[in-house]
């Protein structure tokens, strides 16, 4: 790998050491595991996170299950919002190789994500990638209006169309309309979204 490592200015906060191992093969930056809910009681780690956030910023990359959101919300509570970026992984179902049984919600965690999915999540969160010129053009986001205009909401056949779209992207069928644009933006550029809907 070595050469292709993404050098990122911000430190990345993950839940556990397996997430840390996966990520350390992709990015060259400080990766801090919260040890799951351990972060709630660990005042020293909280103080360290605050220092790191102040110095270089932090990207929170937790799993997409309930526990991941509890940890993410706790971090939102203890860190200044302007120093924190949030990266989201898509809901993919399955189990990690090392685990005998899938997690409670059956979703893959950060450790089970392919490098390109993690890279896209970090880029979408606005990670500062060192050595890359900052893109001058803010990227065109996929909006609720796009989804409406493309027939994924507000039409009699919208539910079926949404189902096809979710299926094409291996996404959970119960994703709410509200979460859909955010998740699509994590996975696709606007152009890729346009190409995909041509094929549906």
């Amino acid at each position: 790998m070595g050469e292709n490592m993404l050098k990122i200015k911000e430190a990345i906060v993950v839940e556990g050491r397996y997430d840390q191992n996966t990520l350390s093969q992709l990015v060259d930056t400080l990766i801090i595991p919260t040890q799951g809910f351990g972060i709630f009681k660990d005042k020293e780690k909280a103080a360290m996170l605050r220092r790191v956030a102040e110095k270089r910023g932090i990207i929170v990359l937790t799993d997409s299950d309930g526990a991941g959101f509890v940890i993410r919300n706790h971090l939102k509570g203890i860190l200044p919002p302007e120093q924190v970026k949030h990266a989201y992984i898509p809901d993919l179902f399955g189990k990690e190789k090392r685990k005998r049984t899938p997690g409670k919600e059956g979703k893959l965690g950060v450790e089970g994500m392919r490098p390109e999915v993690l890279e896209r999540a970090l880029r979408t969160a606005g990670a500062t990638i060192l050595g890359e010129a900052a893109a001058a053009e803010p990227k065109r986001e996929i909006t609720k209006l796009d989804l409406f205009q493309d027939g994924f909401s507000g039409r009699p056949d919208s539910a079926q169309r949404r189902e096809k779209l979710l299926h094409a992207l291996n996404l959970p069928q119960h994703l709410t309309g509200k979460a859909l644009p955010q998740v699509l933006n994590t996975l696709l550029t606007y152009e890729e979204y346009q190409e995909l809907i041509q094929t549906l």
Side-chain angles (χ1 to χ4, degrees):
M1 187 95 188
E3 281 306 288
N4 309 337
M5 293 282 272
L6 284 178
K7 281 191 176 7
I8 289 180
K9 176 179 151 231
E10 294 86 0
I12 302 174
V13 176
V14 294
E15 285 178 55
R17 65 191 172 90
Y18 292 102
D19 302 329
Q20 186 177 14
N21 294 347
T22 297
L23 214 49
S24 63
Q25 293 161 36
L26 171 73
V27 294
D28 176 3
T29 189
L30 173 65
I31 302 169
I32 306 168
T34 65
Q35 254 73 55
F37 294 149
I39 186 69
F40 297 163
K41 295 189 290 289
D42 193 335
K43 291 200 168 44
E44 282 168 16
K45 185 168 273 179
M48 179 185 80
L49 287 173
R50 279 195 280 267
R51 278 206 307 279
V52 171
E54 194 179 352
K55 255 197 138 68
R56 54 199 284 190
I58 275 179
I59 296 171
V60 179
L61 181 62
T62 54
D63 294 351
S64 64
D65 59 6
F69 274 91
V70 171
I71 292 167
R72 189 183 288 280
N73 285 333
H74 177 71
L75 293 168
K76 277 183 186 166
I78 63 172
L79 299 169
E82 67 280 5
Q83 295 167 1
V84 182
K85 294 172 177 172
H86 289 274
Y88 295 93
I89 56 170
D91 270 0
L92 297 175
F93 289 84
K95 80 173 187 65
E96 279 81 6
K97 285 190 198 68
R98 73 180 172 88
K99 295 185 182 169
R100 282 221 290 283
T101 55
K104 196 165 65 193
E105 295 179 34
K107 295 174 187 176
L108 286 173
V110 168
E111 66 166 291
M113 293 290 143
R114 296 197 314 278
E116 59 271 28
V117 175
L118 291 171
E119 177 176 342
R120 178 164 278 173
L122 291 168
R123 287 180 182 276
T124 305
T128 311
I129 295 164
L130 305 171
E132 277 188 16
E137 284 299 294
K139 84 179 190 16
R140 164 86 159 81
E141 294 270 316
I142 303 160
T143 64
K144 271 192 175 134
L145 184 62
D146 293 322
L147 295 173
F148 173 72
Q149 287 172 335
D150 297 323
F152 295 111
S153 65
R155 284 199 212 162
D157 65 341
S158 288
Q160 283 159 302
R161 291 176 64 87
R162 260 202 319 277
E163 205 170 301
K164 273 195 181 142
L165 178 67
L166 292 168
H167 188 69
L169 293 164
N170 296 323
L171 287 170
Q173 297 296 312
H174 64 240
L175 255 185
T176 61
K178 214 163 92 179
L180 191 57
Q182 187 182 31
V183 173
L184 290 177
N185 282 312
T186 307
L187 297 174
L188 302 168
T189 63
Y190 177 73
E191 291 68 33
E192 288 167 334
Y193 162 75
Q194 286 295 333
E195 274 168 39
L196 176 67
I197 60 176
Q198 301 308 318
T199 64
L200 290 181

